[in-house]
Amino acid sequence: MHDNDYASIVDEVLAQIGKHVVLGLPLGLGKPNRLINAFYHRACADSSIRLDIFTALSLNPPKPGSELEQRFLQPFLKRHFGEDYPRLAYADALASQQLPANITVTEFYFQSGSMLGNAEAQRHYVSSNYTHVARDLADRGVNLILQLVARRPAEFGWEYSLSCNPDVTLDLAEELSHRVDRKCLMLAQVHPDLPFMAGDAVVSDDFFHRIINDNPEQRLFALPRNPVTSQDYAVGMNASALVADGGTLQIGIGSLSDALVYSLIQRQQCNEAYRGYFNQALPGQALVDAIGGYDSFGTGLYAASEMFLDGFMHLYRAGILKREVFDDEHLQSLANAGRIADDSGIGGSGALLDAAFFLGSDDFYRWLRELTEPEWPRFRMSSVGRINQLYGDNPKLEKLQRQKARFINTCMMVSLTGAATSDGLKDHQLVSGVGGQYNFVAMAHAMRGGRSILLLRSTRESGGEITSGIVWEYPHCTIPRHLRDIVVTEYGIADLRGATDEECIKALICISDSRFQQNLKHKAVAAGKLDPNWTIPAVAAANSPASIESRLNALRLMGNLSRYPFGSDFTELEQKLMAALQRMKKLKHSKLQMLGALLRGGPDAPEALTRMGLAKPSGPQQWLYARMLRWALAQITH
């Protein structure tokens, strides 16, 4: 499609809705970038147009910063995203704080950490539960929706799927149906590579005011897979034992989620080794006996998750995502009782997953496109209003379907009395957003047998300083203390539901890093919240990174726990270079260590230096880079 074709679409839309455009865009993958850019550039050229963009998770390939980052990233970005990926112009302008005065961008969820210190983005952030976004869009007077869709031949013409993003679009259509005074145009652009997804995502052509069939000429944005650390693996292992066979699973994205999925697969396929991890006492292990288990999955799991991601593909392939649900109370009751067999004509036809949006790797998108005809209807996409809460047409059915629910999310910090911080800092700078986390926490409390599980790294490192993820207090929280439930760190499990403040404090100290336990205890005692005579149990007092490595050692010796358990988008050489560059980055905090590394250098590494364009350094700066890189590579090979 040519630029002048997009320009004519902009002309037509402006003629219908006027010069104040309130543009709603899907979260993440479903944005038609070139069409969006056409509206953005028109507003840039004509200051009489007011363009207000409302969206979340605006995805652009990263822009390298330092010279070393450029040398490493540019070949990868060209390979992964293509030569001519159409960047979102408004997102670049927002990132550099150079939006024109007549254009605003309001987001309810950022890429993690991407907008810290960005006054433009921070001032226009809106804090909304995912389930409230459609209402908020309508309140703001949204009059234009642009979205990528999938299509396939039908008996009479074509049928369409909202594919990766029925999440807000379906809820918004419902919301606007009750506001007949509001006019909102919905424009869809067909993407030839978007998987055609089943469920409520399937809509007729009259759902849209216009369908653009020309190829948008943009690759599906594939997230590079992240490495998984020992800390991540320990958190994932601990949480995996809380998942009940025959239950329901919701997970988010990131390396903690990857570690959890990997651990569930170990539980299924390498059960003896998996059980060996738990031979050593673990704080909170009694909760596993009460609500989880160590056995492999017989009945399996059903997924009800706002996000459909690679992890569910891996769970399906491993024979874990296999519990069926049916949209009929009688059938679902029979299924829950184990009274539907494969030979009944019904077994094997139920849904295995319901989700609201998807985002993942190229492998994941390919798998979705290649689902067989019997598999396809078992993975359904729906509105976030249906997935993230129990206020739909049939909450009784949804509770029957979501039995033994484990809603598993991540957080950044937890206070000793159980409040969780997941989206922002103490000065109200937003790291990401609340998204659907509150929805799932509240839903867990509303369901018999449901539990909310927050995954937390007990420590984090920044600027060469290690701090605790469990704190006495924090001036901002995402989940209030009265909704506290289960917190899992690499050191164990804290069951906080229905606990007194003192019980909560003790449980969280027992899963914190031993370097911070005494200080946490002192603050709790000083506040009159903890018995001063209480002694930290010996098993918890030994919480250290070394103890984690010891616990994971048996699994590691069996060849498990690789840095990229589900494969990597980086070559083996690039993985080594990433580790080396991270080691070099840490040297910035100590000039003495930097000097020592420079003096020592390392053995020649021609392949790595060639990949970085440093095989033949030109000038002293490149010579220093090459020498430091050889030192860093030598460190990671020992």
Side-chain angles (χ1 to χ4, degrees):
M1 191 171 184
H2 301 295
D3 287 344
N4 57 344
D5 296 321
Y6 285 119
S8 66
I9 293 172
V10 175
D11 290 335
E12 293 172 19
V13 169
L14 293 178
Q16 293 183 67
I17 65 176
K19 287 194 167 185
H20 182 192
V21 180
V22 183
L23 174 57
L25 300 174
L27 172 151
L29 186 63
K31 296 179 175 68
N33 291 13
R34 295 185 193 276
L35 181 57
I36 295 165
N37 286 346
F39 279 92
Y40 175 79
H41 291 311
R42 178 65 64 86
C44 288
D46 183 353
S47 61
S48 68
I49 296 173
R50 179 178 165 189
L51 175 61
D52 297 326
I53 299 173
F54 193 106
T55 188
L57 209 57
S58 298
L59 299 171
N60 266 338
K63 285 187 173 181
S66 67
E67 181 183 343
L68 279 176
E69 284 182 357
Q70 290 176 20
R71 288 174 178 274
F72 175 76
L73 275 177
Q74 282 176 343
F76 169 76
L77 294 176
K78 194 175 293 185
R79 182 178 79 234
H80 192 73
F81 294 103
E83 295 272 3
D84 58 349
Y85 185 85
R87 298 181 66 86
L88 288 165
Y90 78 81
D92 279 339
L94 179 62
S96 60
Q97 301 189 67
Q98 293 181 342
L99 283 172
N102 60 318
I103 300 176
T104 62
V105 177
T106 296
E107 296 198 71
F108 67 89
Y109 200 95
F110 299 138
Q111 280 186 271
S112 183
S114 64
M115 293 300 173
L116 288 174
N118 187 317
E120 181 84 17
Q122 293 288 336
R123 292 203 322 269
H124 289 98
Y125 166 82
V126 60
S127 186
S128 286
N129 285 334
Y130 205 172
T131 49
H132 297 161
V133 170
R135 177 206 65 195
D136 294 346
L137 267 169
D139 287 347
R140 284 179 173 270
V142 62
N143 55 18
L144 179 63
I145 300 292
L146 306 177
Q147 179 162 345
L148 292 176
V149 300
R151 74 172 184 176
R152 71 177 185 181
E155 186 176 356
F156 302 104
W158 298 93
E159 62 178 350
Y160 295 86
S161 171
L162 296 172
S163 188
C164 53
N165 283 101
D167 50 342
V168 173
T169 305
L170 288 175
D171 284 342
L172 182 62
E174 170 66 19
E175 181 71 27
L176 291 174
S177 71
H178 300 287
R179 306 190 188 199
V180 293
D181 57 323
R182 299 289 177 86
K183 180 179 181 180
C184 180
L185 299 181
M186 287 200 181
L187 273 63
Q189 185 166 19
V190 175
H191 196 299
D193 296 328
L194 259 186
F196 192 98
M197 301 303 295
D200 297 335
V202 179
V203 295
S204 59
D205 58 3
D206 60 4
F207 184 84
F208 311 102
H209 294 90
R210 177 167 180 170
I211 299 171
I212 304 163
N213 289 309
D214 299 87
N215 193 325
E217 299 178 273
Q218 68 182 76
R219 285 193 187 185
L220 295 180
F221 194 99
L223 295 175
R225 286 164 285 197
N226 293 319
V228 178
T229 67
S230 294
Q231 188 179 35
D232 297 336
Y233 274 124
V235 176
M237 287 292 288
N238 296 344
S240 69
L242 296 172
V243 177
D245 188 22
T248 303
L249 185 64
Q250 176 262 326
I251 55 176
I253 197 166
S255 59
L256 284 175
S257 174
D258 288 346
L260 169 65
V261 169
Y262 182 83
S263 300
L264 289 170
I265 294 172
Q266 291 296 299
R267 176 175 161 183
Q268 180 76 351
Q269 298 181 344
C270 305
N271 192 256
E272 185 177 349
Y274 175 85
R275 286 173 172 273
Y277 171 86
F278 295 96
N279 285 341
Q280 186 180 344
L282 185 77
Q285 203 159 324
L287 186 62
V288 174
D289 297 327
I291 70 166
Y294 308 108
D295 292 337
S296 57
F297 294 92
T299 304
L301 303 177
Y302 156 70
S305 180
E306 70 178 22
M307 187 174 187
F308 185 11
L309 69 164
D310 290 52
F312 289 115
M313 171 183 71
H314 297 307
L315 291 174
Y316 175 69
R317 287 172 167 172
I320 297 172
L321 190 67
K322 61 182 179 181
R323 182 172 77 83
E324 299 181 286
V325 302
F326 302 90
D327 291 334
D328 177 272
E329 286 184 39
H330 176 65
L331 284 179
Q332 190 59 51
S333 296
L334 291 176
N336 289 354
R339 292 167 57 193
I340 290 183
D342 289 341
D343 59 2
S344 66
I346 299 171
S349 65
L352 304 178
L353 174 142
D354 284 293
F357 79 98
F358 68 71
L359 185 61
S361 68
D362 276 327
D363 289 344
F364 175 59
Y365 302 148
R366 187 180 308 110
W367 173 73
L368 289 176
R369 289 193 295 269
E370 294 174 355
L371 289 173
T372 65
E373 198 62 31
E375 288 176 315
W376 173 77
R378 311 188 81 186
F379 298 89
R380 309 186 300 193
M381 302 296 292
S382 187
S383 70
V384 74
R386 176 172 176 260
I387 302 300
N388 285 33
Q389 57 191 9
L390 297 169
Y391 308 137
D393 295 333
N394 194 340
K396 182 179 178 182
L397 172 63
E398 290 174 352
K399 288 181 179 181
L400 283 171
Q401 292 173 334
R402 302 178 194 189
Q403 64 175 358
K404 302 177 188 175
R406 302 292 179 263
F407 301 127
I408 304 179
N409 295 282
T410 62
C411 60
M412 300 185 301
M413 281 169 283
V414 171
S415 74
L416 272 187
T417 52
T421 300
S422 309
D423 62 335
L425 304 178
K426 59 184 178 183
D427 60 358
H428 299 286
Q429 284 277 312
L430 262 295
V431 175
S432 52
V434 63
Q437 184 169 115
Y438 173 83
N439 295 138
F440 285 107
V441 171
M443 186 162 36
H445 283 277
M447 297 176 65
R448 188 178 302 279
R451 300 302 297 261
S452 163
I453 300 171
L454 292 180
L455 308 183
L456 171 71
R457 298 178 182 92
S458 76
T459 62
R460 61 187 181 278
E461 183 177 353
S462 179
E465 181 184 5
I466 296 174
T467 56
S468 176
I470 296 176
V471 297
W472 168 239
E473 59 184 350
Y474 201 72
H476 166 79
C477 81
T478 313
I479 304 301
R481 58 186 287 201
H482 67 270
L483 290 178
R484 61 198 184 196
D485 197 343
I486 299 172
V487 176
V488 178
T489 73
E490 66 269 34
Y491 296 119
I493 301 162
D495 183 7
L496 311 181
R497 193 174 74 175
T500 66
D501 278 359
E502 183 175 55
E503 290 167 341
C504 180
I505 289 166
K506 289 178 179 178
L508 286 170
I509 288 176
C510 285
I511 63 167
S512 65
D513 191 285
S514 58
R515 288 168 287 185
F516 303 97
Q517 288 174 340
Q518 290 301 327
N519 185 50
L520 291 170
K521 177 183 174 181
H522 171 76
K523 289 184 175 180
V525 169
K529 286 288 187 175
L530 179 63
D531 180 355
N533 295 316
W534 177 70
T535 301
I536 299 170
V539 64
N543 290 349
S544 69
S547 71
I548 295 303
E549 291 296 341
S550 174
R551 184 181 283 273
L552 293 171
N553 191 48
L555 288 169
R556 210 179 288 282
L557 289 174
M558 293 179 64
N560 298 318
L561 311 186
S562 71
R563 281 178 60 79
Y564 292 90
F566 301 115
S568 175
D569 302 285
F570 297 97
T571 65
E572 286 190 23
L573 177 60
E574 286 170 339
Q575 293 173 37
K576 291 178 182 177
L577 282 168
M578 277 196 297
L581 290 171
Q582 288 169 357
R583 189 172 287 270
M584 288 173 64
K585 192 173 182 179
K586 291 182 179 181
L587 292 178
K588 291 193 306 183
H589 307 298
S590 172
K591 291 183 179 179
L592 186 61
Q593 289 182 358
M594 185 180 294
L595 179 61
L598 187 60
L599 291 173
R600 288 193 296 274
D604 196 16
E607 191 180 3
L609 292 175
T610 299
R611 168 61 177 78
M612 293 291 289
L614 293 170
K616 296 180 179 179
S618 174
Q621 181 85 342
Q622 290 187 18
W623 182 86
L624 288 171
Y625 284 151
R627 188 168 180 82
M628 294 284 286
L629 185 59
R630 290 203 306 270
W631 169 84
L633 286 165
Q635 306 310 302
I636 64 169
T637 57
H638 285 60

